[in-house]
Amino acid sequence: MQGKFELTQLPDAAGHFGPYGGVFVPETLMPAITELRLEYEAARHDPAFQAELQGLLRDYCGRPTPLYFAERWTEKLGGPRIYFKREDLLHTGAHKINNAVGQILLAKRMGKKRIIAETGAGQHGVATATVAARFGCECVIYMGKVDMERQALNVARMQFLGAEVIPVTAGQATLKEAINEAMRDWVTNVRTTHYLLGTAYGPHPYPMMVRDFHRVIGEEARRQILEIEQRLPAALVACVGGGSNAIGLFYAFLRDPGVRMIGVEAGGRGIRPGDHAARFQGGRLGVLQGTKTYLLANEDGQIELTHSVSAGLDYAAVGPEHSYLRDAGRVEYAFATDDEVLATFHDLARTEGILPALESTHALALVRARAKEWTNDQVVIVNLSGRGDKDVHQIAEHGRSHDLL
Ligand SMILES: *Cc1c(COP(=O)(O)O)cnc(C)c1O
């Protein structure tokens, strides 16, 4: 594929992935953004920083995570040999901690002792509260009121960890509004405060930096599959909210033309305005919360309402690198609906003894629906980005045996 080589050299110095990305922030934030960019540049080449990061990833977070052969599910679906990258086994229960430990070390280097973050499903809030406690920082988490209700367990965890969780009631009271509040706080408290953004989104350098902190997922998976199967996978599949777990898995394989990559967005109740969060299904180019990318908006540019059974995928825009990879034809983007996701959750629970996060279950649902597209000797790796403990109340509300097919 033409342009394949440059894929791994992006973004450019101004944070552009082709026509996407960049820095769209109020002037008051520019000094903080610049400070962060320079600090990250220095840190990534600093052996002491890297050593501390690697130590935390290993001993505090639990890396490397296993690459697990899902033998019974493979047999049941009758398609490819399916492996799970077990990010659900990490400390705090999802991939989010990879980025949180990286950014808390940067905050320490910058002398910032107050940490703020937004959270949707609460997983990023928990990861942030965790590293803030570990490094003795004050921590404030902004969370939509609707999300606080559907993710009560994670709210309690954040509070136990010493974080203040501030409910956001504006608009849809979900992730987008929580990000607005976090940005507002940052503008006000920028000298003392680091904004620990939770996905591969926002103004440069966040999309690049968050990607880099998650690249370890794909680097490990590539090594592991070569060791187990002596070959590369036919495909990688990951769910896409902002896009951090997906780019984390994909990145190390971008130069392998034989490896197909599929990002799975939230199809919600179906692809109609207001009923889903699949930005590549009817989305358009726009600017939201610091970056230029695909987003769900009407013809006047007003952001559309979104819906997903999974709070972590319920966001109107997608990280700019994914917009680029889609245009370049390197990654395919599909979606799974709420119903497919719930059915897949119960299926996996009973076949493999794993309760996956509803976000991750979108990736599993795609493989379940399309298993026959692969032959029995091909290998597919699914990113199991998190565990489903946080989702059990919500799933139970939909019925305990939604679909036992
Ligand atoms: C937050 C979250 C996601 C979605 O975020 P990305 O940045 O797209 O990875 C996916 N899975 C889990 C388990 C999450 O907690």
Side-chain angles (χ1 to χ4, degrees):
M1 192 189 62
Q2 212 250 335
K4 170 170 40 112
F5 236 60
E6 297 94 84
L7 285 176
T8 52
Q9 291 159 9
L10 291 171
D12 68 16
H16 294 114
F17 301 89
Y20 307 108
V23 182
F24 295 83
V25 299
E27 235 173 277
T28 41
L29 278 184
M30 280 312 290
I33 291 279
T34 304
E35 181 189 18
L36 180 62
R37 183 170 52 77
L38 295 176
E39 197 67 49
Y40 176 61
E41 265 321 303
R44 71 196 292 198
H45 299 114
D46 177 354
F49 177 87
Q50 289 300 337
E52 190 172 8
L53 178 59
Q54 294 316 317
L56 282 166
L57 287 174
R58 189 186 63 224
D59 304 330
Y60 190 64
C61 303
R63 301 213 74 93
T65 59
L67 187 69
Y68 163 72
F69 177 49
E71 190 179 349
R72 287 197 72 216
W73 214 47
T74 290
E75 210 168 285
K76 183 172 177 190
L77 296 185
R81 296 172 62 74
I82 302 167
Y83 285 82
F84 296 157
K85 183 59 174 161
R86 299 292 308 272
E87 297 294 294
D88 61 317
L89 296 179
L90 284 173
H91 183 40
T92 72
H95 68 291
K96 297 259 172 29
I97 194 83
N98 300 323
N99 168 51
V101 291
Q103 286 197 45
I104 198 78
L105 291 180
L106 282 177
K108 190 174 87 165
R109 282 174 72 106
M110 293 184 290
K112 297 195 173 177
K113 297 285 282 180
R114 182 173 178 270
I115 304 298
I116 61 169
E118 82 298 337
T119 196
Q123 283 302 120
H124 177 57
V126 168
T128 302
T130 297
V131 297
R134 167 66 181 74
F135 284 85
C137 295
E138 183 190 344
C139 183
V140 175
I141 304 293
Y142 291 93
M143 189 169 187
K145 198 159 182 297
V146 168
D147 289 336
M148 284 180 74
E149 282 155 18
R150 50 182 174 177
Q151 300 291 347
L153 174 69
N154 275 342
V155 174
R157 292 168 79 194
M158 288 182 258
Q159 289 165 340
F160 288 141
L161 290 160
E164 183 187 357
V165 184
I166 300 186
V168 179
T169 54
Q172 255 189 299
T174 60
L175 183 58
K176 174 163 64 71
E177 292 78 19
I179 297 177
N180 281 341
E181 284 308 309
M183 290 249 188
R184 208 162 291 155
D185 179 317
W186 202 26
V187 169
T188 312
N189 301 296
V190 69
R191 272 187 304 110
T192 58
T193 300
H194 174 62
Y195 179 13
L196 207 160
L197 206 153
T199 187
Y201 195 80
H204 182 63
Y206 284 107
M208 171 185 78
M209 185 176 78
V210 176
R211 173 198 75 195
D212 289 348
F213 287 137
H214 285 301
R215 277 164 60 173
V216 62
I217 302 172
E219 285 162 7
E220 286 176 8
R222 198 173 188 286
R223 212 166 44 236
Q224 289 165 320
I225 202 68
L226 285 173
E227 192 179 312
I228 302 169
E229 291 274 355
Q230 287 83 47
R231 62 202 158 121
L232 290 171
L236 306 172
V237 185
C239 67
V240 182
S244 69
N245 88 87
I247 196 68
L249 176 65
F250 296 166
Y251 200 74
F253 297 87
L254 283 177
R255 291 173 191 234
D256 300 313
V259 179
R260 189 177 162 198
M261 300 181 190
I262 307 171
V264 186
E265 298 184 286
R269 291 179 290 252
I271 306 301
R272 293 172 299 269
D275 278 345
H276 69 100
R279 291 67 42 107
F280 291 127
Q281 308 293 325
R284 60 184 76 220
L285 184 59
V287 170
L288 182 66
Q289 294 173 329
T291 193
K292 189 191 280 187
T293 188
Y294 271 87
L295 45 78
L296 292 168
N298 68 19
E299 283 172 12
D300 301 329
Q302 292 296 312
I303 301 302
E304 266 168 12
L305 300 183
T306 52
H307 163 82
S308 169
V309 69
S310 133
L313 303 184
D314 195 351
Y315 183 61
V318 64
E321 188 159 17
H322 286 285
S323 293
Y324 182 81
L325 291 171
R326 183 221 150 138
D327 282 6
R330 183 63 189 94
V331 179
E332 300 158 51
Y333 294 86
F335 63 89
T337 64
D338 289 355
D339 285 345
E340 291 172 312
V341 165
L342 289 165
T344 304
F345 174 89
H346 291 292
D347 185 11
L348 198 79
R350 298 198 173 208
T351 312
E352 288 291 343
I354 293 173
L355 304 183
L358 286 177
E359 291 83 4
S360 325
T361 311
H362 283 70
L364 297 165
L366 184 287
V367 173
R368 187 172 182 254
R370 298 208 193 155
K372 293 290 196 299
E373 288 182 17
W374 290 281
T375 60
N376 294 161
D377 62 350
Q378 286 184 307
V379 168
V380 170
I381 299 177
V382 183
N383 206 7
L384 213 61
S385 53
R387 57 182 176 244
D389 307 35
K390 67 188 174 57
D391 298 319
V392 294
H393 285 298
Q394 214 199 340
I395 293 162
E397 275 174 21
H398 285 271
R400 223 161 273 278
S401 55
H402 185 80
D403 181 2
L404 296 179
L405 278 176

